[in-house]
Amino acid sequence: MDAKSTLVRLLAEAGITPNGPNPWDLQVHDDRLWNRFVAEGTLGLGEAYMDGWWDVEDMAEFFNRAIGRTIDKQFRPPLSLIWQHVQARYLNMQTVRRSRRVAKMHYNETDAYRASLDDRMTGSCGYWPEGVTNVNEAQEAKLDLVCRKIGLKAGQTVWDIGCGWGAFMGFAAEKYGANCVGVTVSPDQAEYGRARYKDLPVEFQVKDYREFTGKVDHVVSMGMFEHVGYKNYRNYFEAARRAIADDGLFMLHTIGSQWTTRTIDPWIEKYIFPGGVIPSMGQVGEAIDGIFTVVDVHNIGPHYDKTLVAWYENFERNWPKDRDAQGERFYRMWKYYLLCCAGGFRARAIQVWQFVLSPKGVPEGYITQR
């Protein structure tokens, strides 16, 4: 059976009909798509979309169905993916030097983030409890939840590992009277945050987390652990333990995988997060062994589907409509990034975990926050 026939059959099992009438049915503009996907896997699928070979009205739902059927796992892995696994196994792809790659490649896309994110530029999953209706409210709810989870009090100091544009630090300083210090490998993020929060007790340090030397009451980290790499998980938690007070709490917010892996999707690796890896529960548990006690775990994975769709709606509304060929390719790349990830969370193939960790446990017992 040829590539097209095989893929059409697998798509049908997922309720997807090529060139069909449903919003999640992909519309194929170039029949070379089928062989390209079989030969190059998800990297080829994403690049084919960037090249204009196919479209789909509801991309998030298309990926929900396709990922749920594990269509990409039905074929022999392409050589590019095998090489990616070999590198990850034998090399540390997230050294201090290599950690700068994601800043140069991705976090300098400030205009795209401004067009997509909430008013605070919060670059991680929002929290959508009952009554929250938009992404600004969802991110405020998430930031408040994090402050409550660590029991933040006025005058305390918090280290934000991978602080981004400073959304958490600004919120914690404004709403809770905290002092905050954050590290980011992106000079652009630090420049933005310093200007926005110049009147608050907020400090941005452009450095890798392994280079931080301060002492703090609490530690938080949101959407950064996915850049650490499995060879560095232990070092990451040791760095947090060196910084945190014995009675402090560490709130770790990370995307999580059901399976232990060493690499990320090849298209995401190439175009979005070089060196990214999604940790498993087992990897986190092994890395904190003897360093931290888990006092709470909260899975908010479904909330990232809603967040990513809201980001896409912002992006679609705010991004310039008058685009040259290069601009159109970037637009399609960014759209694909947001909505293929939304589909992954909708399919529950990936999670979002919030861990609350304590160096020595909480003697009086931890009161769960939701």
Side-chain angles (χ1 to χ4, degrees):
M1 189 176 291
D2 63 14
K4 180 176 180 179
S5 299
T6 301
L7 282 165
V8 168
R9 175 181 58 81
L10 292 171
L11 288 168
E13 292 173 1
I16 299 168
T17 303
N19 301 318
N22 298 306
W24 55 82
D25 289 334
L26 80 164
Q27 306 300 312
V28 180
H29 309 309
D30 191 320
D31 260 358
R32 290 179 295 171
L33 171 67
W34 310 109
N35 287 329
R36 187 171 185 179
F37 177 72
V38 171
E40 302 174 15
T42 56
L43 175 61
L45 181 69
E47 290 184 333
Y49 180 77
M50 293 165 64
D51 292 339
W53 288 17
W54 64 279
D55 281 290
V56 62
E57 181 181 345
D58 188 345
M59 183 177 289
E61 183 58 21
F62 164 77
F63 275 104
N64 173 36
R65 291 165 177 264
I67 292 170
R69 181 60 183 80
T70 62
I71 289 175
D72 62 310
K73 304 294 195 297
Q74 308 305 313
F75 301 94
R76 181 179 300 175
L79 289 176
S80 59
L81 180 58
I82 294 172
W83 174 238
Q84 187 181 339
H85 279 276
V86 169
Q87 286 184 301
R89 182 178 181 87
Y90 294 105
L91 301 174
N92 186 347
M93 303 303 293
Q94 298 86 12
T95 61
V96 174
R97 179 180 61 82
R98 285 180 170 141
S99 72
R100 268 70 177 183
R101 290 184 304 159
V102 72
K104 292 178 181 177
M105 178 174 169
H106 192 65
Y107 288 122
N108 63 356
E109 300 291 356
T110 305
D111 289 343
Y113 277 109
R114 285 181 188 270
S116 308
L117 302 185
D118 64 301
D119 291 344
R120 285 187 180 272
M121 295 281 284
T122 316
S124 56
C125 177
Y127 186 52
W128 300 77
E130 187 175 354
V132 168
T133 60
N134 60 66
V135 72
N136 287 326
E137 294 175 356
Q139 294 295 8
E140 292 275 314
K142 189 269 298 292
L143 297 173
D144 186 68
L145 178 66
V146 172
C147 291
R148 290 188 284 114
K149 283 188 173 185
I150 62 173
L152 186 59
K153 295 179 174 58
Q156 290 185 325
T157 300
V158 185
W159 177 27
D160 187 347
I161 308 177
C163 62
W165 293 274
F168 170 80
M169 298 197 297
F171 182 91
E174 292 168 6
K175 306 294 185 181
Y176 282 79
N179 303 301
C180 300
V181 56
V183 295
T184 172
V185 293
S186 169
D188 292 337
Q189 288 182 330
E191 182 181 4
Y192 171 92
R194 287 166 184 156
R196 177 164 183 168
Y197 301 113
K198 62 181 185 298
D199 297 323
L200 292 173
V202 168
E203 177 188 354
F204 289 80
Q205 297 182 5
V206 180
K207 60 177 59 172
D208 186 88
Y209 67 92
R210 287 161 283 199
E211 300 169 322
F212 182 74
T213 58
K215 299 291 184 180
V216 297
D217 296 295
H218 303 290
V219 178
V220 302
S221 185
M222 286 162 275
M224 183 273 175
F225 193 62
E226 302 89 330
H227 303 295
V228 169
Y230 77 100
K231 289 182 180 289
N232 305 300
Y233 290 159
R234 186 75 176 178
N235 289 337
Y236 172 90
F237 288 111
E238 288 174 343
R241 181 63 187 95
R242 287 194 299 270
I244 197 171
D246 286 348
D247 60 351
L249 292 175
F250 176 15
M251 201 300 304
L252 171 64
H253 168 124
T254 180
I255 298 173
S257 172
Q258 182 179 353
W259 303 275
T260 293
T261 62
R262 298 187 179 96
T263 61
I264 203 167
D265 175 83
W267 186 89
I268 297 288
E269 154 73 28
K270 182 174 179 178
Y271 288 98
I272 308 297
F273 296 122
V277 184
I278 298 177
S280 69
M281 190 67 72
Q283 288 171 317
V284 174
E286 183 178 6
I288 66 172
D289 187 22
I291 301 177
F292 284 106
T293 295
V294 178
V295 297
D296 188 56
V297 182
H298 185 188
N299 188 336
I300 63 169
H303 297 240
Y304 218 162
D305 174 17
K306 296 181 71 171
T307 302
L308 285 156
V309 170
W311 285 350
Y312 166 68
E313 290 171 349
N314 284 347
F315 178 64
E316 184 68 30
R317 182 172 55 253
N318 297 325
W319 200 245
K321 301 297 186 290
D322 183 19
R323 301 184 287 264
D324 59 15
Q326 183 177 354
E328 179 66 16
R329 186 174 174 81
F330 179 87
Y331 164 81
R332 293 177 73 88
M333 181 196 79
W334 201 257
K335 176 181 178 178
Y336 188 88
Y337 153 54
L338 295 175
L339 293 181
C340 76
C341 291
F345 286 102
R346 189 175 303 176
R348 310 301 295 122
I350 39 179
Q351 320 298 323
V352 178
W353 297 320
Q354 289 190 340
F355 295 88
V356 181
L357 308 173
S358 167
K360 297 188 175 183
V362 180
E364 66 276 16
Y366 181 77
I367 300 174
T368 299
Q369 301 294 316
R370 293 293 186 263

